[in-house]
Amino acid sequence: FRVKTILQGGPVQWGWIRAAILLDFIAQTEVGRTDRASYDVIYGHNQGKVDKPITSMTLSELVDLQASFTRKFGSSAAGRYQFMRATLQDLARELGLKGTQRFDPNLQDRLGYHLLKRRGYLDFMAGRISRTEFGGRLAREWASLPVLTTTKGATRTVGRCGPRSELLCGGMGSTRRSSRQRRSRSSSPR
């Protein structure tokens, strides 16, 4: 993540740097990497099944292509921050994007930062909302993120990962396990 993307020539402030660190964390949880290739990831790592990298597409081209992703891949999520088709359409309307912009790393970082702000990043940084509240808001945007309290989202439920787990996970229903549970389960004899 390039801090200059969201600064756009402004002074460096800790809030911006923290946003960059948080967006790197989100990319790692969503696509499993933070390198340049993370910007071309399609849900389920299906980026090799489209004609060209999504970073070389315009926003409109990607949104049009995403119409088939759910049927083909199980989700329309694409890019470093796994933008859903409806989210991209909403962001385009909200930000006045024409659709001719290339879906390159710069645009993805700007859109990711906008989603952080939409979910309360500035309020969190100013101390107006708690870490638990902010975490819950982020988990409603990015299903891979854990939350600190049971929450019911618009399209999914966030609940305990296991009977004795202190970590609560997002995802579809309660079938998602925490990384701690996956590690202990995979290391146990079968």
Side-chain angles (χ1 to χ4, degrees):
F1 179 74
R2 293 173 305 284
V3 175
K4 70 179 178 86
T5 297
I6 50 178
L7 290 178
Q8 296 182 352
V12 175
Q13 298 174 3
W14 281 111
W16 301 114
I17 294 169
R18 288 181 178 148
I21 292 167
L22 180 54
L23 285 170
D24 276 345
F25 174 76
I26 290 167
Q28 182 66 44
T29 63
E30 286 289 317
V31 301
R33 57 193 315 161
T34 59
D35 60 358
R36 171 61 177 80
S38 66
Y39 292 95
D40 282 306
V41 174
I42 294 173
Y43 178 80
H45 297 278
N46 285 296
Q47 52 273 18
K49 298 178 182 173
V50 295
D51 292 336
K52 62 183 180 177
I54 62 174
T55 53
S56 66
M57 296 180 190
T58 65
L59 182 59
S60 291
E61 287 174 324
L62 176 61
V63 168
D64 290 347
L65 190 60
Q66 281 179 302
S68 67
F69 283 7
T70 301
R71 183 178 39 79
K72 288 180 181 177
F73 309 133
S75 172
S76 66
R80 188 174 208 245
Y81 310 108
Q82 293 295 276
F83 297 100
M84 304 295 286
R85 183 173 192 256
T87 301
L88 283 178
Q89 290 171 320
D90 188 44
L91 286 168
R93 276 189 299 276
E94 187 175 327
L95 299 172
L97 301 176
K98 304 273 187 258
T100 56
Q101 298 86 354
R102 215 164 48 101
F103 194 65
D104 62 10
N106 184 0
L107 180 60
Q108 290 185 46
D109 289 341
R110 288 179 32 228
L111 295 175
Y113 181 62
H114 189 77
L115 289 178
L116 282 183
K117 291 192 307 182
R118 191 193 267 181
R119 292 298 180 168
Y121 177 73
L122 298 177
D123 287 336
F124 172 68
M125 293 303 296
R128 290 188 290 267
I129 62 173
S130 71
R131 183 182 324 173
T132 302
E133 173 66 21
F134 184 50
R137 290 179 183 190
L138 291 179
R140 287 183 204 104
E141 191 69 53
W142 289 287
S144 65
L145 296 179
V147 292
L148 305 174
T149 184
T150 301
T151 304
K152 186 164 180 82
T155 59
R156 64 188 174 87
T157 299
V158 176
R160 296 213 176 269
C161 297
R164 288 179 276 182
S165 175
E166 293 179 16
L167 179 65
L168 298 164
C169 293
M172 301 306 290
S174 60
T175 60
R176 191 173 175 101
R177 288 182 169 42
S178 72
S179 58
R180 186 180 333 135
Q181 287 176 317
R182 284 192 300 270
R183 279 193 305 274
S184 67
R185 193 168 202 218
S186 64
S187 63
S188 62
R190 296 192 181 238

